[in-house]
Amino acid sequence: MINLKSEEEVSRMRAACVAAARVLRDLSALVVPGVSTAALDSAARGLMLRHGCESACYGYVVGGLTYPGHICVSVNDEVVHGIGAPQRIIQEGDLVSLDVVVRRDGYIGDNACTIAVGKVDPEAKALCTAAEKALHAGIAAVRPGNRVGDISAAVQGILAPLGYGIVRDFVGHGVGKKMHEEPQIPNFGKAGTGSKLLAGMCLAIEPMVNLGTHKIVMGADGWTARTADGKVSAHFEHTILVTETGAEILTLP
Ligand code: MF3
Ligand code: CO
């Protein structure tokens, strides 16, 4: 069952998502050469306090493993769920994906973006541009009566013709009191298939796309997913509300 949010719940979702967006915005400004990914994690913790929310990632358990960070910070060939580390120093030319998931007043806001640090390889930059464009194409496919597959096909329609590897092992998702609710929202699929979208659904749409192969490998920490070929990856995400006429992006600062 995909749950529909009441007006009351929608207003809580809005507040959580605005907080998530403000944390992501403020944190993005700190991504400069010389900063460690651990410093970004602890800055995020402070920003969450300032914006009246807490990390939904910290302490999150998947398959018996507890996530130790407050955000996910994934550099270059890291696809998602990278954990901040003091020895991991950001350098000019890096692609840094920040994934900020917060809880406020019992509800979750989830958003992510990839930042190109200084002068980056044009191919890497183009990947980021396409990933963000794909996110917005996915959002544009949201309206009551459309289906999850319409979102998937719209995202794929931007990325596949460019020859990029669309990550299959991680997908977008419904969001609410829990970080991951139904439905799953793959970044590939057939228009007209899957669950029907209804006003009141809250969805996290999040294309993850690789310059090379779509295949990923898991790191020894049990969390960090990286590309199997070592090429770079990009990730953009918004939480949206299905409205009577389309989509409202909730994760705006
Ligand atoms: N946006 C990511 C997701 O939906 C956040 C994961 S947080 C973690 O999977 F705790 F699982 F790392
Ligand atoms: Co998400």
Side-chain angles (χ1 to χ4, degrees):
M1 261 316 277
I2 304 175
N3 75 60
L4 301 181
K5 271 72 177 175
S6 65
E7 266 310 312
E8 163 76 20
E9 288 184 290
V10 166
S11 69
R12 291 184 184 188
M13 280 298 295
R14 274 206 184 91
C17 288
V18 168
R22 288 179 179 166
V23 171
L24 182 59
R25 174 197 63 193
D26 294 355
L27 191 62
S28 296
L30 305 178
V31 179
V32 293
V35 74
S36 74
T37 58
L40 292 172
D41 188 275
S42 71
R45 190 163 131 249
L47 289 167
M48 287 173 196
L49 267 175
R50 183 191 301 176
H51 292 298
C53 57
E54 61 180 21
S55 172
C57 292
Y58 186 75
Y60 191 77
V61 179
V62 177
L65 267 183
T66 304
Y67 192 73
H70 296 84
I71 55 165
C72 301
V73 48
S74 309
V75 184
N76 295 335
D77 64 322
E78 295 171 352
V79 178
V80 285
H81 302 168
I83 301 164
Q87 72 280 6
R88 187 76 198 249
I89 310 295
I90 301 302
Q91 293 172 13
E92 170 135 17
D94 283 346
L95 288 193
V96 180
S97 299
L98 301 174
D99 193 343
V100 170
V101 195
V102 307
R103 183 178 292 102
R104 181 186 162 110
D105 196 16
Y107 286 80
I108 301 281
D110 187 358
N111 62 174
C113 69
T114 299
I115 296 156
V117 181
K119 228 175 116 57
V120 303
D121 179 70
E123 272 197 313
K125 182 76 202 161
L127 179 75
C128 295
T129 304
E132 191 169 17
K133 191 173 167 198
L135 167 59
H136 287 283
I139 293 170
V142 173
R143 72 185 69 96
N146 274 11
R147 291 177 182 272
V148 168
D150 294 311
I151 302 173
S152 305
V155 170
Q156 184 175 29
I158 300 292
L159 299 174
L162 297 168
Y164 296 143
I166 300 174
V167 173
R168 310 181 84 84
D169 296 10
F170 297 97
V171 295
H173 49 94
V175 56
K177 282 187 186 153
K178 292 194 294 178
M179 190 194 307
H180 296 130
E181 299 186 351
E182 286 182 55
Q184 295 201 345
I185 308 175
N187 294 302
F188 52 89
K190 263 195 168 24
T193 66
S195 300
K196 203 171 254 189
L197 304 177
L198 297 172
M201 290 179 181
C202 290
L203 308 173
I205 302 176
E206 51 177 322
M208 290 153 270
V209 59
N210 304 340
L211 192 55
T213 179
H214 74 273
K215 289 192 182 135
I216 58 148
V217 290
M218 291 306 295
D221 60 19
W223 287 102
T224 310
R226 48 167 41 91
T227 60
D229 60 7
K231 293 188 178 177
V232 296
S233 185
H235 179 202
F236 284 82
E237 174 176 29
H238 274 305
T239 300
I240 64 98
L241 168 70
V242 184
T243 66
E244 298 294 340
T245 52
E248 176 185 335
I249 300 177
L250 298 180
T251 38
L252 293 175

